[in-house]
């Protein structure tokens, strides 16, 4: 066993952080990624024509209240302050997001105070005799039918490809509702974007003599190697060659356009109407307000079901998916040398900070067990509901 190395599949935050922590504990690893770049879906690079730093797989804003994670990422690059203040287009009018006092007064043509607005929205909500069972019921119990149908119904149908009645209520519980004029989408104390992009951060994490990074490398080509342990951040169903069937993922298509000057005047503008086929438009120079650019590069985002050959962005986790996931989890838990990590490996929606926190925890657990005869579990955090 002493001559065997650790294999880490995926050079995104999960894989990079685990590799770095192992390296600092004098454990060498091979990190592989099938793409030609590191950082996974957080990958950024500068557009040659405009000079704008582009988030190639959609914008990523780092936000966290986990001090350990914030200190960790700042060791590997400079984070600049950034506050996400998206806008929303509904029936040809632009509104403030997330739904706040400004949104409410805009939408209803009022000038209510916080207390008046809270009482007004309460009068609009729908009470159910049961706990809200799905996204639509949760929304109507929080903000009422009018705001729900304007800002969430059409957008959600486009984003997820199913009726909001089929989605869990927990999705909406993550979204803020405010009765003041705070339009900061997030409430975490630490919010920012790396000055030189996410790829530079991940590359710095991976920069260690005990880490062997191999890009443009498929795990299948190395699967017959004898590894001391494998940390797998790809889709769990892919690891098992989809033997039980395909888990449901959503993917994104990006339609690029460029122009001189400004295109929309803001980083993110959501398109909430169902008859607009894309979900939002992002103008990437606004994700780096500390820079100045004469030209702009923008992307319209179209969400659809993930098929073979597509890049999976996030799991759907509908009822059928959870049942299928259970079969893969049961199979994975028979493994003794594989641990599944990250958003795809554990089939959970994870923000970057949670991904890093779990990677730090996973690495610490492996380092401790490496010194003993105890085996690593297939999941440090179970993908199944508790």
């Amino acid at each position: 066993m002493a001559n065997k190395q650790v294999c880490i599949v995926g050079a995104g935050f999960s894989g990079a952080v685990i590799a770095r922590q192992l390296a600092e504990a004098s454990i060498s690893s091979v990190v592989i990624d099938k793409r030609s770049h590191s950082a996974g879906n957080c990958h950024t690079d500068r557009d040659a024509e405009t000079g704008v730093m582009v988030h190639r797989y959609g914008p990523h804003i780092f936000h966290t209240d986990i001090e350990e994670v914030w200190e960790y990422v700042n060791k590997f690059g400079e984070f600049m302050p950034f506050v996400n203040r998206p806008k929303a287009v509904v029936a040809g009018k632009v509104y403030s997001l997330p739904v706040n006092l400004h949104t409410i007064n805009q939408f209803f043509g009022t000038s209510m105070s916080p207390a008046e607005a809270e009482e007004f929205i309460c009068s609009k909500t729908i009470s159910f005799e049961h706990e809200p069972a799905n996204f639509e019921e949760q929304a109507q119990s929080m903000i009422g039918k009018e705001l729900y149908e304007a800002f969430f119904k059409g957008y959600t149908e486009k984003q997820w490809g199913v009726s909001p009645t089929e989605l869990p209520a927990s999705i909406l519980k993550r979204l803020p509702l405010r009765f003041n004029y705070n339009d900061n989408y997030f409430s975490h104390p630490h919010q920012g974007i790396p000055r030189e992009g996410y790829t530079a951060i991940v590359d710095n994490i991976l920069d260690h003599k005990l880490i062997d990074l191999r890009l443009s490398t498929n795990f299948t080509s190395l699967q017959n190697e004898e590894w001391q342990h494998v940390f797998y951040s790809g889709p769990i169903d892919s690891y098992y060659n989809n033997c039980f069937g395909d888990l449901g993922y959503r993917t994104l298509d990006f339609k690029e356009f460029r122009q001189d000057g400004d295109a929309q005047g803001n980083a993110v503008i959501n398109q909430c109407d169902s008859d607009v086929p894309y979900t939002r438009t992002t103008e990437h120079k606004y994700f780096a307000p500390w820079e100045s650019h004469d030209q702009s590069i923008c992307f319209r985002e179209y969400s659809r079901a993930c098929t073979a050959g597509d890049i999976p962005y996030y799991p759907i986790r509908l009822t059928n998916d959870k049942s299928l996931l259970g079969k893969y989890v049961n199979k994975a838990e028979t493994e003794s040398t594989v641990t599944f990590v990250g958003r795809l490996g554990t089939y959970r929606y994870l923000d970057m900070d949670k991904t890093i926190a779990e990677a730090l925890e996973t690495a610490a657990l492996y380092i401790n067990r490496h010194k003993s005869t105890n085996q690593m579990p297939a999941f440090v955090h179970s993908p199944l509901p508790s």
Side-chain angles (χ1 to χ4, degrees):
M1 178 174 285
N3 294 325
K4 296 179 185 177
Q5 283 186 295
V6 171
C7 179
I8 299 173
V9 182
F13 269 120
S14 287
V17 170
I18 291 171
R20 181 67 182 222
Q21 295 305 103
L22 298 190
E24 293 186 358
S26 300
I27 301 172
S28 63
S29 65
V30 175
V31 178
I32 67 170
D33 200 297
K34 66 180 180 182
R35 289 186 260 196
S36 61
H37 59 75
S38 64
N41 284 0
C42 297
H43 174 60
T44 50
D45 62 14
R46 287 205 180 273
D47 177 63
E49 181 182 341
T50 63
V52 173
M53 182 68 76
V54 175
H55 300 224
R56 291 294 173 186
Y57 302 94
H60 288 73
I61 296 129
F62 201 94
H63 54 97
T64 189
D65 58 1
I66 308 173
E67 293 296 331
E68 179 188 16
V69 169
W70 184 243
E71 292 172 6
Y72 185 86
V73 294
N74 275 273
K75 290 193 301 183
F76 298 100
E78 181 184 7
F79 276 74
M80 300 295 288
F82 181 84
V83 175
N84 189 28
R85 305 183 193 275
K87 308 302 176 190
V89 176
V90 178
K93 295 182 180 180
V94 180
Y95 296 91
S96 174
L97 282 183
V99 174
N100 60 71
L101 185 55
H102 192 195
T103 319
I104 295 166
N105 280 326
Q106 283 179 299
F107 187 78
F108 292 104
T110 55
S111 55
M112 291 180 284
S113 69
E116 290 170 336
E118 189 165 4
E119 183 179 356
F120 176 77
I121 293 301
C122 185
S123 73
K124 295 281 187 179
T125 59
I126 298 173
S127 296
F128 297 93
E129 294 181 355
H130 55 268
E131 190 74 17
N134 56 57
F135 184 100
E136 181 166 285
E137 291 184 357
Q138 181 68 37
Q140 292 178 343
S141 70
M142 284 176 60
I143 58 175
K145 183 177 180 181
E146 291 156 292
L147 288 176
Y148 160 66
E149 291 188 346
F151 292 97
F152 295 104
K153 188 174 189 295
Y155 186 92
T156 301
E157 288 171 344
K158 291 187 292 185
Q159 182 77 352
W160 292 90
V162 296
S163 167
T165 59
E166 298 180 56
L167 295 170
S170 59
I171 294 176
L172 192 70
K173 290 178 181 178
R174 295 197 300 261
L175 304 179
L177 168 64
R178 302 196 181 107
F179 294 101
N180 56 34
Y181 288 100
N182 178 9
D183 62 351
N184 183 346
Y185 196 81
F186 303 111
S187 58
H188 293 122
H190 304 297
Q191 301 177 38
I193 291 178
R195 179 186 283 275
E196 298 304 324
Y198 288 99
T199 300
I201 297 282
V202 173
D203 284 344
N204 287 339
I205 295 173
L206 289 166
D207 185 15
H208 193 286
K209 63 182 181 181
L210 292 181
I211 299 174
D212 178 8
L213 175 62
R214 302 179 191 177
L215 300 175
S216 302
T217 302
N218 282 305
F219 180 57
T220 52
S221 67
L222 301 174
Q223 213 158 356
N224 293 328
E225 298 266 350
E226 287 194 40
W227 302 104
Q228 189 178 104
H229 199 82
V230 174
F231 293 94
Y232 191 83
S233 68
I236 184 172
D237 51 340
S238 294
Y239 181 86
Y240 290 110
N241 298 313
N242 306 85
C243 63
F244 299 121
D246 299 338
L247 288 169
Y249 300 91
R250 297 295 284 177
T251 191
L252 297 173
D253 295 322
F254 299 94
K255 303 297 183 183
E256 173 191 315
F257 66 95
R258 301 162 181 261
Q259 70 177 62
D260 292 336
D262 290 353
Q264 64 181 20
N266 199 53
V268 179
I269 296 184
N270 288 4
Q271 295 289 338
C272 299
D273 297 331
S274 58
D275 59 352
V276 178
Y278 51 96
T279 56
R280 65 181 183 175
T281 305
T282 57
E283 187 167 6
H284 285 232
K285 70 179 182 181
Y286 279 99
F287 292 110
W290 54 90
E291 298 181 354
S292 178
H293 300 279
D294 295 329
Q295 296 174 293
S296 203
I297 178 169
C298 305
F299 298 88
R300 294 189 179 99
E301 293 186 16
Y302 298 77
S303 177
R304 61 177 173 82
C306 191
T307 59
D310 290 328
I311 296 171
Y313 280 80
Y314 49 92
I316 300 176
R317 290 183 71 91
L318 299 180
T319 301
N320 290 342
D321 294 304
K322 291 180 181 179
S323 174
L324 185 58
L325 175 63
K327 296 180 181 180
Y328 284 113
V329 169
N330 290 338
K331 187 171 180 63
E333 287 177 340
T334 67
E335 304 280 0
S336 60
T337 58
V338 181
T339 298
F340 295 88
V341 297
R343 178 182 290 194
L344 301 180
T346 63
Y347 199 67
R348 292 148 63 224
Y349 188 95
L350 293 173
D351 287 327
M352 287 180 285
D353 66 326
K354 297 295 193 300
T355 296
I356 292 168
E358 291 191 4
L360 289 169
E361 182 182 354
T362 300
L365 186 62
Y366 181 79
I367 291 165
N368 289 333
R369 297 199 176 197
H370 183 70
K371 298 173 184 177
S372 68
T373 57
N374 294 331
Q375 293 180 342
M376 274 290 288
F379 302 99
V380 175
H381 293 271
S382 175
L384 295 175
S386 57

